[in-house]
Amino acid sequence: MSEQRYRLHWVTAIIETLKAAKEAILPLVVLLFANGRRDWNTGLWYIDYLSFLILGGLIILLSVSGLIKWLRFQYWFEDDELRIESGLFVRKKRYIPFERIQSLDYTEGIFHRPFKLVKVNVETAGSSSLKKSEGELTAITKEAARQIEQHMAEAKRKRKQPMAEDLVNDDPFYEETVEAVKEKAQKVFALTSKDLFILATTSGGIGVILSGVAIFLSQFGELIPYEWIFDEFASFVKFGVLIVGLIVFAGIVGVWILSVIMTFFSYYGFTVTLEDDDIVITRGLLEKKRVTVPLKRVQSVSVIQNPLRQPFGYASVSIHSAGGGVGDGAKINLFPLVKKNVVQESLEAIFPNYHFEEPTTKLPKRGKAFFYRIDFLWMLPVIGALAYFFFPYGLLSLLIIPAIIAFGLWQYRSGAYAIYDSQLTMRFRGISLQTAYMTKRRIQSLEMKQSYFNKRKQVATIVASAKSGMGQHRGIIHFMEEGEAERILSWYEKRTVQNAVPLLHVKDESLEGE
């Protein structure tokens, strides 16, 4: 392969500078506020404006560091490898064999689009969701990105077809092959405008915004004039409860609108396509992202229905991937919002070897009480204390009892499971209803739990775990028939020799349930 060395686009210097500034946002804001709150005058300008000078020096340092990262970064292709060299005083070299590369993920930010650039993340099987990608090219042209794809495809094709070693990138046969692969791309899912609006409306963006505000307040609490805010709030209260209520309502609506806008920008143009043996997900308005997930890395599939969407027949679908570094990590949002009645058809187009029918085997009636009995016992002292110390209003805490029982019955009625040949399907509920689809060869461990009280009622809990990045995705069926639990253990034990050795655990627990 060619040993010609390539540089990143000059926009890299700006992006790296802004990235470094973002990481140093705390000292930058502190220095900025320190200048605004300066109330001394020593007569020495370099003392009076010391924080300004430090702030300016820090900004210059960040700009120089971004410029150096751009000037000292090179990549090239050699010996069927993508080679990257970077660093000023410490030169770092990273050699990534093309055969190890699982996917090339693309991002087009606001600085990329005007110049038709992309950021490329190189993901390998060893990438971790807790680490950065194996390699990152901050800003290169789309043509350069296609060149990397061509080198990678050629290297993998050589490995499969040793007789084709004389083919080069500009070979007409090679170009036709690449175009043929692109033509095979099959679009399997796209968010409509209506679905996008419903997704934005029912998303959890409000929680993200409020948590961000809480983090800001914790970091800069000393700089916020709380006394002035409380005085102003007290003056507002004088106008009456109605005015205060309207202001609070307007604030909540404002936060909700902001969360809708954030979700809209993030999921705009969301599409899922099949290209050869890869799932390709594209999304984003201001920042367009393209994530590639090899089908062979998918470990399990989950269909999730939260209480807000379930009554309207909507669900979301996630896949769990081995390794990491793709999308949001090991858990990837495959269908952010989809009608439940078309989930099976859409998933079968991607995973034809899976069975996506609803599980039909329900839980036994004798295990029903275990879903709420422990919570009930834990809450009795709390209810008693509230009723005693806050009598008579504390008696309202008695309403917790029917709420606990109703929630337990809700979980009981949601539970179901099924075995289809080499696949285990489990449906269970925390707050949201989740249906997990796991194949036998992808299940890393299967665990049976049983307490003394469970044995008396002849029920048991089964926990199936599949790899999800550096962690695990677990499917749980609580308090099923003991005989059925043992049958699932036997089913898992009969795996073929080619698969990993099963990890079976049988536990006796003193507690009544989880």
Side-chain angles (χ1 to χ4, degrees):
M1 286 189 179
S2 171
E3 297 183 21
Q4 178 183 353
R5 301 201 172 199
Y6 301 92
R7 299 274 295 276
L8 303 180
H9 194 273
W10 60 265
V11 169
T12 300
I14 299 176
I15 296 175
E16 291 294 343
T17 299
L18 293 176
K19 187 187 300 183
K22 180 182 177 181
E23 294 175 355
I25 189 65
L26 181 59
L28 288 173
V29 172
V30 169
L31 287 171
L32 185 63
F33 273 86
N35 282 284
R37 293 175 63 87
R38 181 172 54 84
D39 54 3
W40 63 85
N41 186 4
T42 65
L44 300 174
W45 69 269
Y46 52 87
I47 298 296
D48 294 341
Y49 295 95
L50 180 61
S51 54
F52 269 129
L53 294 174
I54 296 175
L55 178 62
L58 185 57
I59 292 175
I60 293 173
L61 181 63
L62 295 175
S63 301
V64 171
S65 67
L67 186 63
I68 291 175
K69 286 183 180 180
W70 166 57
L71 291 174
R72 301 295 291 170
F73 191 102
Q74 292 180 331
Y75 72 95
W76 70 97
F77 313 106
E78 184 178 345
D79 295 334
D80 290 342
E81 293 177 335
L82 171 63
R83 301 191 173 186
I84 299 174
E85 186 174 328
S86 62
L88 178 59
F89 299 108
V90 179
R91 296 294 287 171
K92 298 179 182 179
K93 296 183 178 180
R94 179 169 294 176
Y95 297 168
I96 308 174
F98 283 119
E99 63 186 41
R100 285 187 56 212
I101 297 177
Q102 296 284 348
S103 65
L104 299 174
D105 299 336
Y106 303 116
T107 302
E108 296 179 48
I110 57 177
F111 291 100
H112 295 88
R113 289 195 173 187
F115 303 97
K116 297 182 179 180
L117 306 175
V118 293
K119 181 178 79 171
V120 180
N121 286 329
V122 182
E123 306 296 344
T124 66
S127 297
S128 166
S129 60
L130 301 178
K131 300 179 182 179
K132 294 182 179 179
S133 56
E134 193 74 24
E136 180 181 297
L137 307 180
T138 305
I140 61 175
T141 63
K142 293 182 179 181
E143 182 61 34
R146 282 192 290 268
Q147 186 182 30
I148 298 175
E149 285 186 346
Q150 291 174 358
H151 278 286
M152 184 174 69
E154 182 185 357
K156 292 184 177 181
R157 183 165 50 84
K158 279 183 179 180
R159 186 176 178 84
K160 293 180 180 179
Q161 301 176 0
M163 300 300 295
E165 292 180 356
D166 56 335
L167 293 177
V168 293
N169 290 349
D170 56 354
D171 192 326
F173 173 78
Y174 173 77
E175 293 180 355
E176 291 174 4
T177 303
V178 173
E179 292 301 323
V181 171
K182 289 182 179 179
E183 289 179 359
K184 291 180 181 178
Q186 175 188 356
K187 185 176 179 180
V188 294
F189 177 78
L191 271 180
T192 64
S193 299
K194 177 185 175 182
D195 292 340
L196 183 59
F197 176 76
I198 296 174
L199 173 66
T201 305
T202 59
S203 69
I206 293 178
V208 175
I209 294 173
L210 294 180
S211 62
V213 172
I215 293 173
F216 177 82
L217 293 177
S218 65
Q219 294 292 332
F220 304 106
E222 296 180 358
L223 303 175
I224 298 174
Y226 286 109
E227 293 183 3
W228 175 82
I229 293 175
F230 290 145
D231 291 340
E232 291 296 322
F233 181 75
S235 64
F236 270 119
V237 172
K238 295 177 182 178
F239 288 102
V241 178
L242 179 60
I243 299 298
V244 175
L246 289 175
I247 293 173
V248 172
F249 177 75
I252 294 174
V253 171
V255 172
W256 173 77
I257 292 175
L258 184 58
S259 71
V260 169
I261 293 173
M262 290 172 54
T263 306
F264 180 85
F265 283 166
S266 180
Y267 286 94
Y268 179 84
F270 190 102
T271 58
V272 179
T273 57
L274 276 180
E275 294 183 8
D276 202 8
D277 293 327
D278 298 326
I279 302 171
V280 179
I281 303 172
T282 58
R283 65 182 177 92
L285 182 60
L286 297 179
E287 185 180 56
K288 187 175 181 180
K289 295 184 179 181
R290 181 179 184 270
V291 176
T292 303
V293 185
L295 284 169
K296 61 183 179 182
R297 290 178 66 181
V298 177
Q299 305 296 301
S300 62
V301 181
S302 297
V303 177
I304 304 166
Q305 293 178 278
N306 69 31
L308 290 178
R309 297 171 182 169
Q310 187 177 355
F312 301 99
Y314 283 98
S316 62
V317 178
S318 299
I319 55 178
H320 294 264
S321 170
V326 286
D328 297 325
K331 181 180 178 181
I332 301 159
N333 218 353
L334 185 64
F335 303 156
L337 189 74
V338 61
K339 272 290 188 181
K340 187 64 170 63
N341 56 8
V342 300
V343 165
Q344 181 175 342
E345 180 182 354
S346 300
L347 286 176
E348 286 177 349
I350 304 175
F351 307 101
N353 296 326
Y354 277 71
H355 299 272
F356 291 105
E357 295 86 357
E358 286 289 328
T360 55
T361 307
K362 300 288 187 177
L363 303 181
K365 291 184 178 180
R366 59 177 177 271
K368 184 189 302 184
F370 291 107
F371 280 92
Y372 54 81
R373 189 177 296 174
I374 289 295
D375 294 331
F376 177 77
L377 293 176
W378 286 346
M379 289 304 298
L380 278 180
V382 177
I383 295 171
L386 290 173
Y388 178 78
F389 290 107
F390 298 97
F391 184 85
Y393 300 106
L395 294 175
L396 293 174
S397 62
L398 293 173
L399 296 176
I400 296 176
I401 296 176
I404 290 175
I405 296 175
F407 183 68
L409 293 175
W410 195 30
Q411 290 181 312
Y412 162 74
R413 290 170 183 155
S414 301
Y417 60 94
I419 295 178
Y420 302 97
D421 300 327
S422 61
Q423 177 188 310
L424 175 62
T425 301
M426 313 175 81
R427 189 176 70 201
F428 51 95
R429 180 185 292 279
I431 298 297
S432 297
L433 181 66
Q434 181 177 165
T435 306
Y437 303 91
M438 301 180 178
T439 58
K440 185 188 294 186
R441 67 190 185 93
R442 298 295 191 187
I443 297 176
Q444 286 199 315
S445 65
L446 195 66
E447 183 177 1
M448 176 178 170
K449 296 182 178 182
Q450 207 174 23
S451 70
Y452 169 77
F453 299 100
N454 296 156
K455 283 184 177 181
R456 291 184 58 185
K457 291 292 185 178
Q458 296 182 338
V459 295
T461 296
I462 284 288
V463 181
S465 301
K467 186 174 177 60
S468 180
M470 296 298 292
Q472 292 182 328
H473 169 232
R474 304 202 311 167
I476 304 175
I477 295 295
H478 287 291
F479 315 124
M480 63 191 304
E481 290 278 2
E482 183 181 25
E484 286 291 290
E486 292 174 349
R487 183 173 73 89
I488 293 176
L489 284 176
S490 299
W491 165 83
Y492 180 69
E493 205 170 14
K494 295 177 182 178
R495 300 199 302 176
T496 58
V497 178
Q498 289 81 5
N499 292 321
V501 178
L503 303 175
L504 300 180
H505 307 280
V506 180
K507 293 185 178 180
D508 290 336
E509 300 180 353
S510 58
L511 292 178
E512 189 176 2
E514 293 190 342

